[in-house]
Amino acid sequence: MNATNQTPRPRRRDARANREAILVAAARVLRRDPEAAVDAVAAEAGLSRRAVYGHFSSREELLSELIGRGTAQIAAALSDVHDDDPAAHVARIGDVLWGQISHVRLVAQVVVRGPLEGAVARGLEPIRASLRDAVARGAAAGVFRDDVDHGIVARLIEESALAVLDEVVRRRMADEDARRLVVVTALGVAGLSWRDASAVADAVSGAPGGAE
């Protein structure tokens, strides 16, 4: 058969396996040390540095793919999150979000404030839209503050979550304490008193689909 008529071969299975092994190894290594170099990833994967660069042209490209996977996973976990009660809706977002990042908190802290922040923001836009909707509903219902545009309040909630993440990492806070702080702080920014916010956090935690 003429070579020009041959269909391209499918990518070799071992190449796909190596790429997956690199991504899995990178996730493990970065969980321990968010600043780890490509050499550490290669060693964890049992491959050469050259093999890693055969799949990813740079450390940033490797991180970008990991971020893409991570944000897609988070977005999928939050796709069905909804509550007619705006406060419970915001609490559920915080609850599920913390459940997704609690085991990679060090990596999350570095990534959300690093050069790849834009990629993270794009991947999490569906979550941001859900949050803005809940804040708008809450303001319209008189549950949340209405003295500030709901888009600004939603953005302030995001910023408060990042501040909480910084404190959680610095203090090595237990998961349940951290989850509760994320939720209560978000609701406080939205306009609830800390007592009311705590009650909502407790209700969501004990509800089906909440943190165990």
Side-chain angles (χ1 to χ4, degrees), residues 7-46:
T7 56
R9 293 184 189 178
R11 191 170 185 177
R12 287 172 49 189
R13 185 173 301 173
D14 60 344
R16 291 196 300 269
N18 283 349
R19 185 180 182 86
E20 186 63 28
I22 292 167
L23 288 166
V24 171
R28 283 200 299 262
V29 168
L30 293 170
R31 203 171 297 169
R32 297 193 297 264
D33 177 11
E35 303 296 339
V38 169
D39 288 347
V41 174
E44 182 77 17

Side-chain angles (χ1 to χ4, degrees), residues 132-155:
R132 288 193 297 268
D133 172 71
V135 172
R137 288 191 290 116
V143 176
F144 292 158
R145 61 186 301 174
D146 61 2
D147 60 323
V148 180
D149 179 80
H150 69 270
I152 295 175
V153 174
R155 182 62 182 172

Side-chain angles (χ1 to χ4, degrees), residues 45 86 120 186-187 189 194 196:
V120 175
L187 291 172
V189 173
W194 70 265
D196 289 342

Side-chain angles (χ1 to χ4, degrees), residues 30-61:
L30 293 170
R31 203 171 297 169
R32 297 193 297 264
D33 177 11
E35 303 296 339
V38 169
D39 288 347
V41 174
E44 182 77 17
L47 298 169
S48 68
R49 188 172 186 268
R50 182 176 179 180
V52 174
Y53 279 117
H55 291 276
F56 302 97
S57 63
S58 65
R59 183 178 183 275
E60 288 68 30
E61 184 180 329

Side-chain angles (χ1 to χ4, degrees), residues 115-132:
L116 296 173
E117 179 181 357
V120 175
R122 288 190 295 274
L124 296 181
E125 178 52 34
I127 302 168
R128 285 178 156 174
S130 179
L131 178 60
R132 288 193 297 268

